[in-house]
Amino acid sequence: RGTALLENDYWQHRIYRWEDEILVRIDGVITLEYRARTEAAIRQMSEISRRPARILSPGEGKPNFVIEFLNQASFSIRSTETAPCFASSTMSEANTIRDVEIKISLEDPDLVNHCIVHEIFHGFGFIHSDLLRSVVSSLSLETEMTDWDVIALKTLYDSRLKSGMTRRQAMPIARRLILEHLAKSGMVGK
């Protein structure tokens, strides 16, 4: 938003996704309901993407995917912008996601369930998009992945796409994959 991309920059953007096991730590004082929803979202996205994810017990191992619930109204994500939740990722030199940090405010209960699935989806490699109904759309407050989100996740993590591919390299393959997933799901024409 507010930043124009040159056409060449657009086509040179790269695919970033998880290649390693995702080791999740959930921090903060949260209800059992929010913890269960968080764990379910991680399991669901792990299953769909076929990327192993393990939720660590307190003190177990070194996490690379940390989700923190805080009693804080909002977070400063840029010098001029705040949000009730956010995700930040670090990429490796091999164009893979190395680690993710998510912060979710507990101040507005109406937003928590949306923030859980929205930010975890970011953590799996997705940016905002308002083109379709999605958990990462700013036009809706989805609390569950949509059919399109499932197709996007299956597509990004399909073995025919590789971390580090440019958009120009990936787009023809992704189009075929999306059509395959649409046909399998019965969503053709939706």
Side-chain angles (χ1 to χ4, degrees):
R1 295 182 179 154
T3 304
L5 284 176
L6 297 174
E7 186 174 347
N8 189 52
D9 292 339
Y10 174 84
W11 288 110
Q12 293 307 312
H13 278 214
R14 298 194 178 275
I15 289 178
Y16 295 97
R17 65 183 190 179
W18 285 97
E19 297 294 346
D20 296 328
E21 180 180 27
I22 302 167
L23 302 172
V24 181
R25 186 178 75 212
I26 303 169
D27 286 337
V29 181
I30 60 170
T31 65
L32 291 176
E33 175 194 352
Y34 290 153
R35 179 172 289 280
R37 287 185 61 79
T38 302
E39 290 178 3
I42 289 286
R43 281 192 304 275
Q44 180 186 29
M45 290 183 207
S46 169
E47 182 180 310
I48 292 167
S49 67
R50 289 181 262 133
R51 284 300 177 267
R54 186 162 48 100
I55 298 169
L56 302 175
S57 303
E60 177 191 1
K62 184 176 186 305
N64 56 16
F65 199 111
V66 176
I67 305 167
E68 188 174 11
F69 290 83
L70 298 162
N71 287 318
Q72 183 174 329
S74 63
F75 306 99
S76 184
I77 55 174
R78 289 181 191 82
S79 59
T80 60
E81 192 174 346
T82 61
C85 49
F86 78 93
S88 63
S89 303
T90 305
M91 307 307 161
S92 74
E93 290 180 16
N95 297 305
T96 63
I97 301 172
R98 185 173 56 209
D99 58 62
V100 169
E101 179 184 11
I102 293 172
K103 294 193 183 293
I104 299 174
S105 169
L106 293 169
E107 294 294 306
D108 186 347
D110 293 336
L111 285 177
V112 175
N113 289 326
H114 165 71
C115 281
I116 289 169
V117 71
H118 177 96
E119 299 306 341
I120 293 172
F121 204 63
H122 281 316
F124 271 77
F126 291 90
I127 61 171
H128 290 116
S129 175
D130 294 332
L131 298 175
L132 298 168
R133 208 177 108 244
S134 169
V135 296
V136 288
S137 170
S138 62
L139 302 176
S140 66
L141 295 176
E142 302 294 332
T143 59
E144 301 289 337
M145 287 191 343
T146 68
D147 292 339
W148 286 109
D149 293 325
V150 171
I151 287 172
L153 194 55
K154 286 180 179 180
T155 299
L156 178 62
Y157 284 92
D158 190 284
S159 62
R160 290 169 276 185
L161 290 175
K162 306 291 180 213
S163 291
M165 281 180 143
T166 65
R167 185 172 280 150
R168 186 177 304 281
Q169 295 167 323
M171 195 63 77
I173 300 166
R175 284 186 180 121
R176 284 193 305 275
L177 293 171
I178 289 167
L179 290 173
E180 286 176 23
H181 295 310
L182 282 170
K184 287 178 187 174
S185 71
M187 286 180 54
V188 175
K190 285 189 177 181

